[in-house]
Amino acid sequence: MSLYSMWGALEIGLIFGLVALSVLLSFRILRFPDLTVDGSFPLGAAVAAVLIQADWDPFLATLMAVLAGALAGALTAWLNIRLKIMDLLASILVMIALYSINLRIMGAPNIPLIMEPTVFSVLQPEQGISDYVFRSLLMIMIVVIVKCALDAYLVTRSGLAMRATGSNPRMARAQGVATGGMVILGLAIANALCALGGALFAQSQGGADISMGIGTIVIGLAAVIVGESILSSRKLFFMTLAVIVGAVLYRFFVALALNADFIGLKAQDLNLITAVLVTVALVIPLLRKRLRVRGGG
Amino acid sequence: MIQLKLVRPLLGALLSLCAAMPVATQAQSVAVTSIVEHPALDSIKDGVKAALEEAGFTEEKGLNWQFQTAQGNTAIAAQIARKFVGDRPDVIVAIATPSAQAVVAATRDIPVVYSAVTDPVAAQLVESFEPSGTNVTGVSDMLDLERQIELIRAVVPNAKTVGMVYNPGEANSAVVVKQMREMLPEYGMTLMEASAPRTVDVGAAARSLIGNVDVIYTNTDNNVVSAYEALVKVGNDAQIPLVASDPDSVKRGAVAALGVNYYDLGLQTGAMVIDILKGAEPGEMPSQLSEGLELHVNLQAATKQGVTLSNDLIDSAANVIR
């Protein structure tokens, strides 16, 4: 595997790390199976791309993308809390609606950003560092900031109320937590993170495409589960770290699968190889446990 | 421009010199990527490979050939682009818009030849069809819509309303629909659109056109092409003639199609790759349009869908299904 492809895996992995944090928040902390992310990821990309093409500052465009994502998440939660639509169905409805909305926003199925200024190109130093290394370093910074902010929020009063809402809603209500409001806030944050990922992905990959969202939830869940199996902890700091590591690892698996031609595998086997690699990652902790049990006995 | 005018003949002379020389024996590498595997896109890949083999670039003689598909996933397309750039091949061939964008965003120095991108200018791969001055050139499969409209009129001379079933989420289709909407009135016709965002919606979208349109035209929309049989059923049942843009659909039940032969498009793409392998600069090569359009007609389908094709049309077809 070349250095370039490793940096690429790191960069894209970190972008999907934001998606993984989003899924951790909705799926694990709030216990809300949220498929909105399949729509809010391309929503972020669409909003950022359209605004950048309209000569907005890329940072402001990214911020607007984040707000759009928050709105989408809040809508899903609202459908669930106020209109009593089942959580999974509410998120599917918003996801489907977002496909059309994204097309409306973009006005075309594909908006290129190859020749436009992006957060990456604006910050890129003239000399001393190549763009592919720089993009990864910038992503590390962004993800660290987001992770720390999320960690910090989740130990505030409101953050603790959100965690209580997820783990035991009845108890939380008994303690005076407005659980409905917490779900709305939580999904808004989760989808804002996901839209941030989409906005950054579009800016690093040359454009927004309507098909970008397909399978976002699957990748997000894979990252969460791989991360948890490798670094399982009840501590918040390690939980958020684990899912980011999971997202990056997943991308390394894909990069590895792309380089698997030397063992006679072909292009069409890619998804299969990725699935096998992830399965192996999931089985490792189990094997380790068995070995430990045997060693102990 | 003046400089380019001078450069091109010089380059041409240089190229013919190169062509006369035996192919260099040093190992050369071509990396091909495509957004999904599907028959038309696969034909392009096969065409590129055939063109290379024809010119003596075979794997036996040391050509390093690799092919990767993103299986429909843009994040994987981005990773494939990174892998290729890291491998530093002599030429990267990128098939279809999302793959081409990912590759062009990832490298400014490795030569990139795009293929099957309907509108490379709108996709920001190149600034125009003129030589780009960058590392990018390629072949577009944009169809000359005037000739498509002429075909529609040749099949159904009195047509007033043309129906189109398409996926609004596909860049290639959106461009065609927009242009058709603007161009048809010049010919005294109007467009009626029916959107099919998923393959399973194609039949229902086609049914919504029954009674309102005189002919159904389809471009190379991936959803429509995948579910063409659904359209054929509607065409046969409601006696609406179908005009398609890819010759394969004629076998499946369209009356006529004037379309790109994707294998030939691959050969054309391959010819550009060969020029670059022999030393041409991609930035000095203008982007190309598909050269070989083929007319296919299906007389059985014409009977079923209630039209009689003129002898002129049948005679000019490259392939007639009776």
Side-chain angles (χ1 to χ4, degrees):
Chain A
M1 204 194 301
S2 70
L3 209 57
Y4 197 90
S5 122
M6 298 231 278
W7 281 108
L10 178 63
E11 177 195 334
I12 300 166
L14 287 165
I15 293 176
F16 278 89
L18 296 169
V19 176
L21 285 174
S22 158
V23 173
L24 176 78
L25 186 58
S26 56
F27 191 69
R28 277 281 188 260
I29 294 179
L30 276 171
R31 309 256 165 102
F32 191 112
D34 180 24
L35 303 189
T36 319
V37 291
D38 267 27
S40 55
F41 187 76
L43 173 69
V47 170
V50 164
L51 294 179
I52 288 173
Q53 275 220 329
D55 290 331
W56 279 47
D57 177 81
F59 294 94
L60 210 56
T62 308
L63 182 69
M64 293 307 288
V66 170
L67 293 178
L71 213 62
L75 180 64
T76 298
W78 183 79
L79 287 177
N80 173 239
I81 303 294
R82 296 282 174 261
L83 303 189
K84 307 285 177 214
I85 298 170
M86 194 192 133
D87 47 12
L88 195 60
L89 185 59
S91 73
I92 291 174
L93 290 174
V94 175
M95 173 188 84
I96 292 174
L98 279 175
Y99 185 87
S100 301
I101 293 170
N102 290 340
L103 266 178
R104 275 277 172 179
I105 293 173
M106 288 161 68
N110 183 291
I111 296 186
L113 293 174
I114 293 172
M115 298 175 189
E116 310 286 339
T118 65
V119 291
F120 299 97
S121 68
V122 169
L123 293 178
Q124 167 80 33
E126 293 265 321
Q127 280 170 343
I129 186 163
S130 30
D131 59 347
Y132 64 96
V133 177
F134 173 75
R135 283 198 300 258
S136 297
L137 295 182
L138 186 62
M139 274 316 300
I140 292 178
M141 262 173 56
I142 295 173
V143 170
V144 165
I145 292 171
V146 169
K147 178 208 176 316
C148 293
L150 189 66
D151 287 352
Y153 167 71
L154 286 172
V155 295
T156 61
R157 224 183 147 73
S158 161
L160 286 169
M162 188 178 290
R163 287 155 77 187
T165 302
S167 52
N168 193 340
R170 195 177 290 176
M171 175 72 105
R173 272 192 298 272
Q175 300 292 330
V177 173
T179 51
M182 279 292 123
V183 173
I184 293 176
L185 180 64
L187 285 197
I189 297 175
N191 284 283
L193 288 175
C194 190
L196 174 63
L200 293 172
F201 184 75
Q203 293 178 65
S204 98
Q205 304 315 318
D209 194 278
I210 193 71
S211 69
M212 269 174 62
I214 299 168
T216 306
I217 183 68
V218 180
I219 294 169
L221 276 175
V224 168
I225 294 166
V226 169
E228 283 173 351
S229 87
I230 284 165
L231 198 73
S232 73
S233 170
R234 293 190 158 275
K235 281 211 179 97
L236 197 61
F237 179 87
F238 289 107
M239 272 170 79
T240 48
L241 182 66
V243 301
I244 296 166
V245 171
V248 173
L249 265 181
Y250 183 88
R251 287 295 146 196
F252 274 103
F253 293 148
V254 173
L256 208 63
L258 287 173
N259 284 283
D261 45 348
F262 62 91
I263 42 171
L265 290 161
K266 288 204 158 151
Q268 59 264 40
D269 302 326
L270 174 66
N271 280 0
L272 178 65
I273 304 161
T274 315
V276 169
L277 285 170
V278 173
T279 311
V280 170
L282 293 177
V283 171
I284 287 171
L286 191 75
L287 290 177
R288 218 164 34 195
K289 208 177 190 179
R290 282 213 185 135
L291 282 176
R292 210 175 300 146
V293 168
R294 225 168 269 169
Chain B
M1 272 329 289
I2 297 162
Q3 271 177 329
L4 282 174
K5 269 182 196 154
L6 281 170
V7 165
R8 257 193 263 173
L10 273 174
L11 194 74
L14 201 71
L15 273 180
S16 45
L17 252 176
C18 290
M21 290 191 296
V23 172
T25 45
Q26 74 184 66
Q28 287 184 292
S29 51
V30 175
V32 184
T33 175
S34 171
I35 187 72
V36 287
E37 299 203 45
H38 96 22
L41 301 185
D42 289 351
S43 313
I44 293 179
K45 173 200 69 177
D46 296 340
V48 171
K49 194 157 192 204
L52 283 169
E53 280 169 3
E54 181 74 12
F57 294 96
T58 58
E59 289 183 77
E60 291 77 45
K61 286 188 191 162
L63 174 77
N64 186 348
W65 165 273
Q66 60 169 323
F67 173 67
Q68 303 268 9
T69 69
Q71 316 214 322
N73 187 317
T74 45
I76 293 179
Q79 280 196 271
I80 291 174
R82 303 306 169 79
K83 171 183 156 47
F84 281 0
V85 173
D87 293 347
R88 300 207 67 81
D90 293 302
V91 183
I92 299 177
V93 178
I95 301 170
T97 307
S99 282
Q101 276 174 344
V103 172
V104 170
T107 178
R108 284 192 201 87
D109 49 2
I110 299 173
V112 178
V113 179
Y114 65 80
S115 192
V117 175
T118 298
D119 196 340
V121 178
Q124 291 189 353
L125 302 176
V126 287
E127 279 185 27
S128 70
F129 274 78
E130 301 292 313
S132 63
T134 63
N135 59 329
V136 185
T137 186
V139 189
S140 156
D141 63 351
M142 189 186 285
L143 289 169
D144 179 354
L145 285 183
E146 275 178 35
R147 290 183 66 187
Q148 299 289 313
I149 295 173
E150 278 164 21
L151 175 66
I152 294 172
R153 294 219 296 182
V155 174
V156 190
N158 305 320
K160 286 275 167 286
T161 313
V162 177
M164 259 190 93
V165 178
Y166 74 105
N167 172 10
E170 204 177 307
N172 292 340
S173 307
V175 176
V176 173
V177 170
K178 184 167 169 280
Q179 289 179 335
M180 286 293 264
R181 205 185 295 136
E182 286 161 8
M183 285 173 71
L184 281 173
E186 293 169 27
Y187 296 81
M189 294 188 277
T190 51
L191 184 72
M192 187 165 171
E193 301 158 30
S195 73
R198 297 168 302 164
T199 45
V200 292
D201 300 326
V202 170
R207 276 194 294 281
S208 76
L209 295 173
I210 296 176
N212 299 317
V213 300
D214 307 306
V215 54
I216 295 179
Y217 171 71
T218 48
N219 67 314
T220 51
D221 186 281
N222 283 313
N223 277 359
V224 171
V225 174
S226 307
Y228 204 77
E229 280 70 20
L231 217 59
V232 173
K233 185 161 189 328
V234 173
N236 290 350
D237 291 350
Q239 298 267 297
I240 304 173
L242 306 176
V243 177
S245 311
D246 75 311
D248 279 335
S249 299
V250 172
K251 279 184 226 137
R252 297 163 73 184
V255 174
L258 176 68
V260 175
N261 177 325
Y262 277 86
Y263 185 76
D264 288 348
L265 197 73
L267 291 178
Q268 201 180 335
T269 311
M272 296 183 97
V273 174
I274 292 163
D275 287 350
I276 295 170
L277 289 180
K278 286 179 178 168
E281 283 295 326
E284 291 167 4
M285 298 159 71
S287 289
Q288 298 178 2
L289 283 171
S290 157
E291 281 161 2
L293 288 185
E294 278 182 4
L295 176 66
H296 290 221
V297 294
N298 184 337
L299 300 184
Q300 277 173 17
T303 317
K304 281 183 195 157
Q305 291 159 22
V307 283
T308 332
L309 298 180
S310 70
N311 287 329
D312 284 355
L313 194 69
I314 298 171
D315 290 343
S316 61
N319 183 20
V320 181
I321 296 169
R322 290 179 196 275

